Amino acid sequence: MNVPVPAEILSARLHRVTAAMVGLGIDALCLSIGSDLPYLTGFRAHESERLTMFVLRSDGAASVVIAELEAPMLPEVEGVDVVAWGELESPTAAVDTVLGGASRVAIGSQTWSRFTLALQSHREREWLDAEPLMAPLRMRKDSAEVAALRASAAVVDSVVPQIASLGFEGRTELDLKRTIEQLTLDAGLATVDFCIVGSGPNGASPHHAGSDRIISGGDAVVIDFGGHKDGYCSDTTRNFVVGEPPEGYEAAYAVLQGAQQAATAMVRPGVTTDELDAHARSIIDDAGYGDRFIHRLGHGIGLDVHEPPYLVEGDGTVLEPGMAFSIEPGIYTPDRWGMRIEDIVVVTEDGVDVLNQSSRAFYTVD
Ligand code: ZN
Ligand code: ZN
C-alpha cells in the first residue's frame, strides 16, 4: 500500500539521504521491497518475482526500475525517472545500467537474495547493507509521522473497552480474535496485521497465534493487536481476566505495571535504549520474576511494526526527539498464564509522549 506523503517532505528526505550517502562515501542506494522505499518516495514495491528497484545516486539522480506492466501503479515523484523493463528483459541488467560507474552501493536489507546475487554477478562493486544509512533517518519521526502514529494508536485504544465488554467465557481464542479484528477495522485501521489472543497457558507464549482453546473462568488472557492506518502502525497489549484472577497473578501484575511505568517515566533525550531495558528488567528481577521476562523491552515502530531502535542490551541507541518505540515488559509463567503491557511512546524535547491511553490495569471480563 502506498503511503501518502506531501511532495515537499519527500524532497527533504531525498536530500537528507543523499547528504548522508556523501558523508558515508556511498555512491548509490538500491531499494526494493520493504519500507525504506515508501519512506523516500511514498511508493511501496509489490512483493513479487518481478523486480522493482529504486536507484538513488549520491548526486541526487533517481530512477525506479520496474516491470512495464506495473509502471502504471507508480505515483509520480518529482525528479524520479521511470525505467520500465519488458517481460523478456533482465531487470537486474537494467539496474546495472542505471548504476553505471557507482562502486560502493548500499542495498536494502529486505531485498530478495535472488536479485542481490544477480546484481553482484553483473560487475565488480562493493555492496553494503543500507540499514546503517536508512535507520538513523527513519528512527527520528517528523511531526506528520508522530501524528500518524498517534491516530493509529487512538484506533486500537478505542477498541480496548469494546473488547472488555465482550463475553470471553465459552469462546475460542480464534473466535475472539476474529471479533477483535473486525472491531479494529470498523474503528478505522486499514489493516489488522496481527492479533494475539493468548488465554491461560497460551498467554505464556508471547507470540501465540490463537487456537481452538476454549476460554473459561479464571483464565488470564493476553491480547496484543495492531495494524496500519495511513501507512503507520499501531501495537498495543492489554490484559483481561475472566472472573477471579489465578493465584499469584495480581502480585505479578503490580510488579509488571510498575516496571512499565518506571521505564516510560525514564524516557527522554540522552538516555539509551539499553538503559531503559535494564531499568525495567531490574524491577522485575528484584521482585523475583527475572527469569520470566524472556524478551527485549521494546522495538521501534513507524512504517514497520518492528524497526530500529530495539530496546535491548547491546543496541546502544541514544534517544533523540522524534524516536518512537514500544515499551512492553512481560511476565510469563509456563503452563499457567502470561501478562504483557504495551504502549507506544515518542521521545520529546524533554521527556516522553505516551501515545496509547487506554487503561493499563487488567480488565475483569465475563
Ligand atoms: Zn504488540
Ligand atoms: Zn510490540
Side-chain angles (χ1 to χ4, degrees), residues 17 89 153 256 318 327 352:
V17 74
E89 291 171 323
L256 183 70
V318 179
I327 295 187
V352 62

Side-chain angles (χ1 to χ4, degrees), residues 314-339:
D315 179 77
T317 303
V318 179
L319 300 188
E320 294 178 40
M323 289 183 176
F325 46 84
S326 70
I327 295 187
E328 51 176 309
I331 295 176
Y332 306 95
T333 301
D335 305 323
R336 293 181 57 215
W337 46 256
M339 54 176 66

Side-chain angles (χ1 to χ4, degrees), residues 41-65:
T41 65
F43 171 66
R44 188 177 286 278
H46 184 203
E47 292 190 19
S48 99
E49 76 289 0
R50 291 186 174 97
L51 177 65
T52 299
M53 186 157 268
F54 172 72
V55 181
L56 177 67
R57 295 210 315 244
S58 56
D59 63 5
S63 312
V64 175
V65 176

Side-chain angles (χ1 to χ4, degrees), residues 194 224-225 235-237 299 328 340 342:
F194 54 93
D224 181 348
F225 67 114
D235 183 8
T236 192
T237 310
H299 53 83
E328 51 176 309
R340 179 166 66 258
E342 176 177 25

Side-chain angles (χ1 to χ4, degrees), residues 156-193:
V156 288
D157 285 353
S158 76
V159 175
V160 171
Q162 297 182 61
I163 297 171
S165 68
L166 296 170
F168 279 41
E169 196 166 0
R171 297 178 70 156
T172 66
E173 291 174 348
L174 285 173
D175 177 31
L176 194 57
K177 172 186 159 93
R178 279 190 289 270
T179 303
I180 295 166
E181 286 171 345
Q182 191 56 53
L183 288 171
T184 310
L185 292 171
D186 292 346
L189 286 197
T191 59
V192 179
D193 299 325

Side-chain angles (χ1 to χ4, degrees), residues 71 90 110 127 160 168 215 235 248 260-261 317 342 354:
S90 159
Q110 292 180 49
W127 292 90
V160 171
F168 279 41
I215 300 169
D235 183 8
Q260 207 264 354
Q261 203 168 4
T317 303
E342 176 177 25
V354 182

Side-chain angles (χ1 to χ4, degrees), residues 17-18 33 247 257 301 343 356:
V17 74
T18 48
I33 57 174
E247 196 197 329
Q257 201 170 349
I301 189 167
D343 291 324
N356 291 105

